Amino acid sequence: VFQWMHKADCLFINGTEKVRLVVRFIYNREQFLTFDSDVGNFVGFTPLGEKNAKKWNSDLATVEFMQSHVDRCRH
């Protein structure tokens, strides 16, 4: 059985004044990639995650798309 999952967390500081989005990508119960809006890019934790992080960080549209999700947390 193969499992692919992603989990998004909206973290609030001072109400909606400061919002942080953390998205975790998990494959077979192992977190291999994460996006943190405070860091502003993807970070890989495994060889597969590092490969995807490098690819997705080089695509500004993908990074901007993830950053735009911070506004969704506010609403």
Side-chain angles (χ1 to χ4, degrees), residues 5-59:
M5 183 171 83
H6 70 274
K7 180 178 186 221
D9 295 311
C10 296
L11 307 170
F12 299 92
I13 302 165
N14 293 335
T16 58
E17 183 179 323
K18 173 74 173 138
V19 179
R20 179 179 174 201
L21 173 68
V22 178
V23 181
R24 294 174 178 88
F25 297 86
I26 302 158
Y27 182 71
N28 284 349
R29 292 188 247 161
E30 181 179 19
Q31 180 175 317
F32 70 95
L33 182 70
T34 189
F35 177 84
D36 186 339
S37 63
D38 280 357
V39 175
N41 60 14
F42 294 91
V43 177
F45 298 105
T46 66
L48 174 64
E50 291 173 359
K51 180 181 174 183
N52 283 301
K54 184 177 180 181
K55 179 181 175 183
W56 291 354
N57 286 331
S58 67
D59 182 9

Side-chain angles (χ1 to χ4, degrees), residues 51-71:
K51 180 181 174 183
N52 283 301
K54 184 177 180 181
K55 179 181 175 183
W56 291 354
N57 286 331
S58 67
D59 182 9
L60 292 178
T62 301
V63 174
E64 288 174 3
F65 176 76
M66 293 300 289
Q67 287 285 9
S68 71
H69 280 69
V70 175
D71 291 330

